[in-house]
Amino acid sequence: MDSCIFCKIIAGEIPSVKIYEDDLVYAFMDIAPINKGHVLVIPKKHNESSSTIDEATAGRMFKVGSQIGIALRRECDYDAFNLHLADGTAAGQVVNHAHLHVVPRGVEDGFYWNWRQLKYEDGEAAEIAEKIKARLAKKL
Ligand code: AMP
Ligand code: ZN
């Protein structure tokens, strides 16, 4: 994709601090980290949505992301890591080339996910589950 900044990074047309590269994925330092050491793992083939990434590449992204998370724990004194992927603008996706965030975390790093816990009405969870299952049965 000509106008995509992450495709340009893979092609070397925009500079990046590279962590890892293989036939399927490319990993580099996020330019504006949540915590220092924040890395992005991206498929080499342009995909806007995580849902269109082929299984081998998606698996590689997850594996490489987890290994980078472990490296951040062991080598950079972090306690933990989050793997995060925003799929779609409403979910916070800004760059339209799918990317897995590896966010190193410390016990007192001052960063909090704004996580809430809603409650279901009776039968509501099962109703939604049926819709998801029906679509999965068509697609997978
Ligand atoms: P998202 O909001 O999930 O789409 O995340 C996009 C991420 O890309 C943000 O964390 C940005 O800091 C990061 N980013 C944008 N441009 C660059 C760049 N040129 N090099 C490295 N990271 C970038
Ligand atoms: Zn791209």
Side-chain angles (χ1 to χ4, degrees):
M1 248 264 267
D2 287 353
S3 62
C4 171
I5 57 167
F6 286 178
C7 282
K8 285 185 177 161
I9 281 176
I10 293 164
E13 291 162 16
I14 291 178
S16 69
V17 180
K18 182 166 110 178
I19 301 288
Y20 175 82
E21 178 178 17
D22 63 27
D23 53 331
L24 300 177
V25 305
Y26 186 92
F28 58 107
M29 301 298 276
D30 194 297
I31 205 166
I34 288 176
N35 280 322
K36 291 179 180 173
H38 181 164
V39 169
L40 300 174
V41 185
I42 62 177
K44 280 196 161 168
K45 186 164 168 247
H46 181 89
N47 284 267
E48 179 163 345
S49 170
S50 59
S51 65
T52 58
I53 301 171
D54 66 85
E55 215 166 313
T57 305
R60 188 74 59 82
M61 285 171 69
F62 192 83
K63 188 76 191 162
V64 168
S66 301
Q67 293 304 312
I68 291 170
I70 297 293
L72 284 159
R73 266 172 48 187
R74 301 244 163 95
E75 304 298 332
C76 302
D77 252 3
Y78 281 105
D79 301 306
F81 59 92
N82 287 112
L83 295 180
H84 170 81
L85 189 148
D87 196 310
T89 308
Q93 183 175 10
V94 173
V95 177
N96 291 331
H97 182 131
H99 47 282
L100 183 65
H101 293 261
V102 185
V103 183
R105 301 301 308 275
V107 173
E108 292 179 348
D109 66 8
F111 179 73
Y112 304 95
W113 299 106
N114 194 9
W115 200 282
R116 65 180 179 189
Q117 294 185 301
L118 301 178
K119 287 201 180 347
Y120 286 112
E121 304 296 328
D122 276 355
E124 197 182 4
E127 199 179 303
I128 296 169
E130 285 309 320
K131 288 183 186 168
I132 300 168
K133 282 155 62 182
R135 174 59 61 150
L136 282 181
K138 284 187 209 155
K139 287 259 179 183
L140 286 180

